[in-house]
Amino acid sequence: MYNDIIKLLNLEQFNLKILKAETVKKDNTLFCYITLEKDICACPFCGGGQLTIKDYRKKKIKHSISTNNPCYIIYNARRYKCKYCNSCFYEKNPFSLKYDKESVYTIYTVLRQLLNHTNTFTDVARNLNLSVPTVIKIFDKYVECRRLTLPKILCFDEFYRSKKSKEKYAFVMADFMNNKIVDVFYSRHKDKLDRYFCDIPQKERDSVEYIIIDMWDTYRDLASVRFKNAKIAVDSFHVIKHLNDAMISIRIKIMQKYNKKTSSLESNDIYYYMLKKFHYFFVKEFDDIYDRKIKINKLKTKWDKYEIRKYLLSIDEDLKYAYNLKERYREFNLTASFDNCDEELDYLIEDFRNSHLEEFREFGELLNRWKKYIKNSFIRIDKKRLSNGPMEGINSRIKTILKSANGIKKFFRLRNRIMYSINKNTPIKSLNKKY
């Protein structure tokens, strides 16, 4: 009889027996007045079955079913009185939990929408005709993310929180194999991280076999001391980043020799123009560069990438030398294995350290200091090379959360928001009703 109302409210799964139901729209707000059929029940205090209806109480429950108009269930709840113990109690409420003003359906809808890391609290509030504080209250009440058990392979990294935060950077650990966040900690400072690791049981820390880090001494030192059974590997992406930074410095230094400081790039020296316009040739994988003809306005012609590279490297012998040495390392990084990388890595370190270019000498010293950990980065587990690749994807989503929300001040809420939306499988607290 009331199937349309049940479907409207998305309550089909309850098999509700409705005695009375009516929908009324007032000022663009939908009100659904519902009275359920009397259910046979016993007194929860004494178990007695002799009950009388003492009275009815109307309960106004926010029920978000539409993005167009607010909706409320006005539930006419019976209050029973037991003839044996004179206790009073309400009939079972299928719509909401005790003390909640929002329906369980609304709560689940809020939490489902927050699983999408691009949705902010404000977005969800707008979608469901709720206030932002209500959405935040629901999230804080029902989401509490716990640290995951430490996996076999851990990734260490950090992300920038806010310039207004006392701790500018927060520390994050991730599982290399399943791309899940293990935990988020409010600080990356060495002493605070050390106390944090000490709070994790030694047995659990001893089960970690590999830790992947960027080239930061704090992570290396703490991993060596607190994870005694783990091999430490440096993420190859960060090594290549340092190499590219050195290459960029060399290119700029050479480029500036031809800078006429004109008002436009095209009116500048041809060497300056080419090194400026095609700067990406020195840091990007050559195979990834556009394969078709590329327009060169200053020369009023089009060249393919091979012609452009040949021209760029003809500008200066130091530039050609630097590019070729950089490419040697990139090729080594792509093709070497843990078992055969030692000899070539030693040659490369020596060539960089003995370079006549200061930037490459510094890079050579960096390679020498981190040699052991760079070698470990060539280890493969289930055919996957150890790297912080999973962490880069996670950090990208964290940045989206922070940017979309314009920052989240309270760290516990930020941590829960990150782990809840990225891991996807966080249990929801205290919600026993299924939707």
Side-chain angles (χ1 to χ4, degrees):
M1 183 176 175
Y2 298 106
N3 286 342
D4 290 342
I5 292 178
I6 290 174
K7 288 180 180 179
L8 173 67
L9 299 178
N10 292 315
L11 299 174
E12 298 95 330
Q13 61 271 48
F14 277 116
N15 297 316
L16 295 176
K17 296 178 180 179
I18 298 178
L19 181 65
K20 294 179 184 179
E22 180 186 9
T23 59
V24 178
K25 193 171 183 180
K26 297 178 182 177
D27 300 327
N28 291 322
T29 300
L30 183 65
F31 295 92
C32 299
Y33 296 86
I34 295 178
T35 303
L36 300 178
E37 290 185 6
K38 185 178 178 181
D39 193 15
I40 299 173
C41 59
C43 175
F45 300 100
C46 70
Q50 295 294 318
L51 307 174
T52 59
I53 298 174
K54 183 176 181 181
D55 55 23
Y56 288 84
R57 297 287 176 88
K58 293 189 184 299
K59 296 191 175 184
K60 186 177 180 182
I61 302 167
K62 180 73 175 182
H63 191 68
S64 296
I65 57 169
S66 168
T67 58
N68 299 321
N69 304 113
C71 175
Y72 291 92
I73 294 175
I74 309 301
Y75 168 43
N76 204 24
R78 292 180 183 85
R79 200 157 63 116
Y80 291 107
K81 183 174 182 179
C82 178
K83 288 186 177 181
Y84 292 107
C85 66
N86 291 323
S87 298
C88 296
F89 61 93
Y90 285 104
E91 67 182 348
K92 187 176 180 181
N93 176 3
F95 305 110
S96 64
L97 298 175
K98 193 174 182 180
Y99 305 125
D100 276 350
K101 293 182 179 180
E102 300 80 26
S103 68
V104 181
Y105 178 85
T106 299
I107 293 169
Y108 264 106
T109 304
V110 167
L111 296 177
R112 274 199 301 268
Q113 292 198 11
L114 287 173
L115 278 172
N116 185 337
H117 71 281
T118 63
N119 284 339
T120 66
F121 295 127
T122 303
D123 292 334
V124 175
R126 188 186 304 115
N127 291 342
L128 301 177
N129 292 297
L130 298 170
S131 68
V132 175
T134 296
V135 172
I136 292 174
K137 181 199 75 174
I138 290 171
F139 181 78
D140 288 348
K141 182 175 181 180
Y142 292 105
V143 176
E144 184 180 0
C145 298
R146 299 182 181 277
R147 176 181 62 81
L148 303 185
T149 302
L150 296 183
K152 175 183 174 182
I153 308 173
L154 262 178
C155 299
F156 284 3
D157 208 350
E158 69 280 334
F159 62 89
Y160 184 74
R161 284 180 61 190
S162 167
K163 63 181 180 181
K164 296 179 181 178
S165 302
K166 185 176 180 181
E167 299 283 350
K168 299 289 187 286
Y169 289 88
F171 170 75
V172 58
M173 290 191 294
D175 186 335
F176 172 78
M177 297 305 292
N178 64 19
N179 296 353
K180 300 286 186 184
I181 295 179
V182 175
D183 203 3
V184 181
F185 186 64
Y186 74 95
S187 174
R188 67 170 184 170
H189 288 169
K190 190 172 184 177
D191 56 339
K192 295 174 182 176
L193 270 179
D194 189 45
R195 289 194 295 270
Y196 167 74
F197 287 138
C198 286
D199 288 339
I200 300 174
Q202 182 70 50
K203 185 177 179 180
E204 193 176 347
R205 284 185 275 130
D206 288 344
S207 68
V208 177
E209 296 181 19
Y210 302 96
I211 294 176
I212 307 159
I213 64 173
D214 56 22
M215 302 177 87
W216 198 41
D217 292 342
T218 292
Y219 292 161
R220 180 193 59 195
D221 296 344
L222 288 174
S224 300
V225 172
R226 299 304 174 193
F227 297 84
K228 295 187 180 298
N229 294 336
K231 288 184 177 179
I232 302 168
V234 164
D235 179 31
S236 62
F237 170 84
H238 286 86
V239 182
I240 294 296
K241 182 181 181 301
H242 282 284
L243 176 58
N244 283 341
D245 289 345
M247 186 70 239
I248 290 169
S249 295
I250 293 167
R251 176 189 62 82
I252 291 174
K253 188 182 291 184
I254 292 169
M255 182 181 73
Q256 289 300 333
K257 292 194 298 186
Y258 305 101
N259 187 3
K260 294 181 178 179
K261 299 182 179 179
T262 58
S263 58
S264 69
L265 180 60
E266 287 188 22
S267 61
N268 212 317
D269 186 272
I270 181 61
Y271 288 167
Y272 183 88
Y273 172 87
M274 293 294 288
L275 290 172
K276 184 84 169 179
K277 183 175 177 63
F278 298 105
H279 60 91
Y280 56 90
F281 271 68
F282 295 94
V283 294
K284 194 172 182 178
E285 289 280 359
F286 188 71
D287 290 342
D288 294 337
I289 296 175
Y290 187 61
D291 276 326
R292 297 183 183 180
K293 295 280 188 177
I294 301 172
K295 188 175 183 180
I296 305 174
N297 291 331
K298 187 172 177 65
L299 298 178
K300 297 180 181 180
T301 187
K302 290 184 178 181
W303 287 352
D304 64 32
K305 63 182 182 181
Y306 297 94
E307 293 172 302
I308 293 172
R309 180 175 65 176
K310 182 179 179 181
Y311 185 89
L312 292 173
L313 299 185
S314 70
I315 292 174
D316 190 280
E317 283 299 316
D318 282 351
L319 197 63
K320 182 177 181 180
Y321 156 80
Y323 178 84
N324 289 333
L325 184 52
K326 181 212 66 156
E327 286 299 299
R328 266 185 61 201
Y329 188 89
R330 288 174 73 98
E331 183 67 20
F332 161 76
N333 182 62
L334 290 172
T335 59
S337 68
F338 179 76
D339 294 326
N340 67 15
C341 68
D342 271 326
E343 186 175 355
E344 180 61 19
L345 183 56
D346 284 338
Y347 285 141
L348 283 165
I349 290 173
E350 185 159 348
D351 287 347
F352 276 108
R353 293 178 75 186
N354 293 329
S355 172
H356 64 286
L357 300 174
E358 181 184 357
E359 294 84 355
F360 273 5
R361 289 199 300 273
E362 291 175 358
F363 179 70
E365 294 299 329
L366 187 74
L367 291 180
N368 192 52
R369 289 198 306 273
W370 291 88
K371 177 185 172 183
K372 171 184 173 183
Y373 312 107
I374 292 171
K375 180 183 176 182
N376 287 341
S377 75
F378 290 98
I379 294 172
R380 292 181 178 271
I381 305 295
D382 294 340
K383 299 182 179 180
K384 288 175 63 177
R385 182 179 171 185
L386 296 183
S387 77
N388 259 351
M391 191 64 82
E392 298 306 317
I394 287 171
N395 273 346
S396 175
R397 282 174 280 174
I398 291 174
K399 287 176 184 176
T400 300
I401 290 171
L402 288 166
K403 184 177 179 181
S404 300
N406 196 24
I408 298 176
K409 291 182 180 180
K410 294 189 177 180
F411 179 76
F412 81 90
R413 185 175 296 139
L414 173 62
R415 176 182 176 277
N416 284 336
R417 182 77 182 93
I418 290 169
M419 294 184 69
Y420 179 75
S421 61
I422 293 178
N423 287 355
K424 304 293 187 188
N425 59 352
T426 301
I428 296 171
K429 295 194 304 180
S430 308
L431 272 176
N432 300 317
K433 300 183 181 185
K434 305 296 181 185
Y435 277 80

